[in-house]
Structures are given as structure tokens and as C-alpha cells.
Amino acid sequence: MKSELKALLFAAFCGTGLIATAGTEGTVTADLLNVRLKPELKSVVVAKLPHGTKVDILGTVGDFYEISAPDRTPVYVSAVYLRDGKVLSPVKMRTAMDRHAAAYGLLPAGTKVKVLLETPLGWAKIEPPASLKVYTAKNYVKAAEPVKESEAAKPAEAEKPAAPEAAKAVAVDVRPLEKAPEAPAEVKAAPAGEKKAPAAPVEVKKAPEAVRAPVEAPKEAEKAAEKAAEPDQLDEQLKKLGVDLSKSTEITAAGYMVEIPNTTVEAVKYAVMKLDAKGQYVKSCFVCSSDAALLKSAVERNVKVTGRAYSVPTWKTPVVKVTALELTK
């Protein structure tokens, strides 16, 4: 029976890119059992299981069982990174529709998911992936057979870092410095009653200027070149949204700057609103900038922004990468 169950699970999940591993069947004995994100009592409760619920036990971690996430486990991802049921780029799975909510981990690009619900705020509730693991207290679950310790509970062996080759060579080549032999000093006895002449002061020679000169700081031009060589993180985030950075238009937009609550996209947290013919505010454009403080300082103010406008697949409103911002009345 157990082998048949494993075969069914393999067949069900082999198309998702995440293959489930069948464990030991367990039965909830508590009236209502907390399912936690981590094997800790202070960890976030992600679901509650009623008495008699069957769970798939994968292993033990201290006083907890590691189990496959039950169907009722809430898992949310940003809908921006999904298309046709497939993950476009790595995206965090969260316990609630909030970018600050606790995260289960990352869904790798290319993973197939089943979308259960999409919200106007850009969140998608998905079916828990086959590989997602959560935790319950062992005292309130009856296992059908003894359960082995989970791999997560085993401490990883610390490997000693190998010494760099250069360091090894130095260790071999370094030898104690040998003192140069001193010339034998001629010692003559001073005649009685004659005072010794004072020893001549030792002359200390200064090191040549080239040796003593401090290391010069990099020139401004070199600093600017180094900064220009660094990858633009904002551009990388826009690429993950599917933006083609080679296609943009120069744009100037005026309106009221607002911060977007519970946005699912880290790069786009602000928008410029404008008044329509009915006197109501509508989105003019989303805005982003490498200088996040600049946008934050303009929240709930009238502004005029200039920058490059990009199109995001499935979005009706463009994203403007701001190059200049002016406060207006």
C-alpha cells in the first residue's frame, strides 16, 4: 500500500519540477493543532489542523515532526512573476499577502504552480508546492510507525577552509632573519685617571621619500569608473518583471506622490496620481529610483518627475525610472 502511495505521489508531482517524498502517515490527536513555519514554539502559525487530520511525516526535529505542507496551508506569491502557471524568476513564498510577511523560501524559476486565487493587489494564492515542509508538535500527532530524524535536524559538518596557495608558500619560505656579523670591537684599557671620551652618537638615516610616502587614495575618476562598473540593482529588478530595458521613452509626469501599500514588487513602491475629469485621483505612472530616499521624501506631495518609462508585461500602467524630481505647489 505504501509503495503504491509513493508511486502515485511521484506521478502527481514529477511535472512540477518539485517531487514529493512520501513519509510516514500521522494522525492529529489534538482538538486543533498548530502548524508552524519552523520547529520552534515561537515560530509563526501558518495553519491549524482539526482532530483526526492525516499528515505526511517526513522526519523529526527535536520535539517537532517535519511534515509535508497540508493543502490548507496558505502560500502567496507575487503574481507579477507568474505567467501561464509557471514561475518566470525566483520568487519568495509568503504566509500572507504582505511583502513583510514571513517567507517559506524561494520558488525557483521554471516551477509550475497551481494558482488558486488572484487579488487586485497583485498577489496570487497558490497550491502548496510538493517540496514545502512545515512543522507540528510531536506530542499531538500519532505516527503509524517509528519516524527517523530529519535531515534538517542533523548538524552540518564544518569544513576547515583550505589555506590559499600563496599563504602556504609564504609559510614555507619565511625563515628567521640572520643578523649581520658585527665587526670585533677593539677594547683598550684607558690609562688611570683619564676620562673616557663620550661615544659618538649613532646617526639614524631616514628612509627615502619614495618609501615613506603614504599610499595615495584612488583618484576621483577611478572611483567614478568603479561605481559605473557596478551592476545597477534597480535594472536587475526591472528585468525580473519582464521589462525590456532597451525599449523606453523619455517622460515627464506631474501629480500627487503616494506610497503603494502591500506592494508585491520590491522595486516599485511609489506611484504618481493625477486628477481625472471627475476630480478623482487615478494612477499616472509607477515610479522607481536608485535613490529610494528621494521618492520617500516626496510622499503625499505634489511633484513633477522626469525619467525613462518602461512597459511591464500584463501591466496597464508604465514604470518610470526617475532621473529628476521637483516638488510643485
Side-chain angles (χ1 to χ4, degrees):
M1 180 67 183
K2 187 175 291 184
S3 60
E4 292 177 3
L5 177 61
K6 288 183 178 180
L8 287 171
L9 287 168
F10 181 87
F13 293 112
C14 63
T16 65
L18 298 170
I19 300 174
T21 302
T24 301
E25 184 181 275
T27 306
V28 175
T29 58
D31 292 335
L32 200 61
L33 178 62
N34 289 329
V35 178
R36 298 185 184 274
L37 181 64
K38 296 179 180 179
E40 305 168 357
L41 287 176
K42 62 181 180 181
S43 180
V44 176
V45 175
V46 297
K48 293 180 180 289
L49 302 178
H51 183 275
T53 303
K54 302 295 183 183
V55 294
D56 184 33
I57 304 173
L58 304 175
T60 66
V61 183
D63 294 329
F64 288 81
Y65 278 139
E66 183 179 72
I67 66 172
S68 298
D71 292 341
R72 66 183 67 203
T73 307
V75 182
Y76 297 92
V77 297
S78 172
V80 172
Y81 301 103
L82 301 181
R83 189 170 303 161
D84 299 327
K86 185 177 287 188
V87 178
L88 298 178
S89 63
V91 61
K92 284 186 179 180
M93 298 178 286
R94 298 196 181 273
T95 57
M97 291 185 289
D98 187 330
R99 62 188 178 87
H100 298 298
Y104 296 103
L106 280 176
L107 264 181
T111 304
K112 292 182 180 179
V113 296
K114 181 178 180 180
V115 178
L116 305 176
L117 175 70
E118 285 197 40
T119 73
L121 292 176
W123 290 98
K125 184 177 183 180
I126 65 171
E127 189 175 86
S131 64
L132 187 59
K133 301 169 185 177
V134 287
Y135 301 87
T136 59
K138 289 197 301 188
N139 292 341
Y140 304 105
V141 178
K142 183 179 180 181
E145 57 187 55
V147 181
K148 294 181 180 180
E149 186 180 29
S150 168
E151 290 296 325
K154 298 176 182 177
E157 292 184 7
E159 293 185 5
K160 293 183 179 179
E165 291 301 318
K168 290 180 182 176
V170 171
V172 172
D173 293 340
V174 171
R175 298 174 185 174
L177 296 175
E178 296 180 3
K179 289 185 178 180
E182 297 180 359
E186 185 179 351
V187 181
K188 292 183 179 180
E194 186 179 334
K195 293 183 180 179
K196 278 187 177 181
V202 178
E203 184 182 353
V204 179
K205 294 184 179 180
K206 292 183 179 180
E209 291 298 319
V211 176
R212 295 190 299 110
V215 178
E216 293 184 4
K219 297 178 181 178
E220 293 301 320
E222 292 176 357
K223 286 183 179 179
E226 288 175 5
K227 188 172 182 181
E230 293 177 359
D232 190 322
Q233 293 184 354
L234 188 56
D235 283 351
E236 292 302 315
Q237 290 174 333
L238 291 174
K239 284 181 183 178
K240 289 182 180 180
L241 298 177
V243 169
D244 184 349
L245 296 176
S246 66
K247 297 179 180 179
S248 67
T249 54
E250 186 74 22
I251 188 174
T252 296
Y256 190 69
M257 178 80 77
V258 298
E259 187 169 7
I260 306 169
N262 294 329
T263 177
T264 64
V265 183
E266 192 68 24
V268 183
K269 300 179 183 177
Y270 304 92
V272 173
M273 312 290 285
K274 65 180 181 180
L275 288 172
D276 63 7
K278 297 179 181 178
Q280 296 179 337
Y281 277 107
V282 294
K283 281 195 292 289
S284 171
C285 60
F286 294 113
V287 291
C288 61
S289 172
S290 299
D291 185 359
L294 174 67
L295 301 183
K296 192 170 184 65
S297 66
V299 169
E300 298 184 7
R301 304 282 296 274
N302 289 312
V303 299
K304 182 170 74 172
V305 297
T306 302
R308 307 296 302 182
Y310 299 94
S311 295
V312 179
T314 73
W315 288 19
K316 295 180 180 178
T317 307
V319 175
V320 176
K321 187 177 180 183
V322 176
T323 54
L325 182 148
E326 177 186 346
L327 296 179
T328 60
K329 294 184 179 179

